[in-house]
Amino acid sequence: MNCFILVLPILIWNVFLTNKLPVNYQQDVFSRGIPAYVTLGENVTRIVIFLLAFLMPLNLRSDRQRLGLCIYVIGLLLYFASWSILIIFPNNTWSESMLGFSAPAYTPAIWLLGIGLIGDSFYFSLPFRRWPFIAVSVAFLAFHISHTILVYNRISV
């Protein structure tokens, strides 16, 4: 097993529930007017995260890895909750605020941190460092949050 298995619940959730989100999250609205560099940066960093997670064996031998699993589970629950609120209560104050609207974009920081703490090696013989996964995750979050804020600013005018 590898750390990519930790990404699968997010992918499955997104595939099955994206169409349940309010209209402003649907592809045609959410992607409209977003600069190409934001979309490209978001997609490239997402792919690199998936690749790095795939290359990291999933082990829970150390205290750091077990802490990472706890952080991952908390992040996953918060991510799912952020979507659920938007789906169930799309017109409430939280969902219509910038903080609520962008919650699905910033809550991945928590589960990504968890994965970053769980990973402690690669399948190949290069020395392992956490910083590439963390750095790519930070870059992804910057693009992903920027994308969401651009959409929020466009629709809230």
Side-chain angles (χ1 to χ4, degrees):
M1 286 200 312
N2 57 52
C3 288
F4 185 76
I5 199 164
L6 300 172
V7 177
L8 289 177
I10 291 101
L11 292 177
I12 293 167
W13 181 269
N14 290 358
V15 166
F16 286 105
L17 293 177
T18 295
N19 64 344
K20 305 289 187 217
L21 285 168
V23 68
N24 291 323
Y25 294 92
Q26 300 307 313
Q27 186 66 27
D28 58 329
V29 175
F30 201 74
S31 295
R32 186 180 331 130
I34 302 301
Y37 76 91
V38 172
T39 302
L40 181 63
E42 188 175 12
N43 289 327
V44 167
T45 54
R46 179 183 290 120
I47 290 167
V48 174
I49 286 169
F50 293 167
L51 177 64
L52 289 173
F54 184 77
L55 296 173
M56 294 187 299
L58 178 59
N59 296 308
L60 298 172
R61 296 179 298 232
S62 72
D63 288 342
R64 179 182 296 187
Q65 290 171 316
R66 287 186 286 279
L67 173 64
L69 181 61
C70 291
I71 292 170
Y72 166 80
V73 169
I74 290 167
L76 192 63
L77 293 173
L78 289 172
Y79 180 70
F80 291 166
S82 72
W83 276 58
S84 297
I85 292 168
L86 292 169
I87 292 168
I88 297 167
F89 306 109
N91 298 317
N92 74 5
T93 305
W94 169 257
S95 296
E96 292 180 348
S97 71
M98 184 182 294
L99 198 59
F101 184 86
S102 60
Y106 63 77
T107 54
I110 303 164
W111 56 259
L112 284 167
L113 174 61
I115 294 172
L117 292 171
I118 292 169
D120 71 346
S121 65
F122 289 124
Y123 283 116
F124 48 88
S125 60
L126 288 177
F128 179 82
R129 301 286 183 263
R130 277 187 181 73
W131 71 264
F133 184 84
I134 300 297
V136 173
S137 295
V138 168
F140 167 73
L141 290 164
F143 286 118
H144 196 47
I145 293 167
S146 296
H147 182 157
T148 304
I149 290 172
L150 287 169
V151 172
Y152 180 81
N153 287 336
R154 184 182 72 230
I155 63 169
S156 66
V157 173

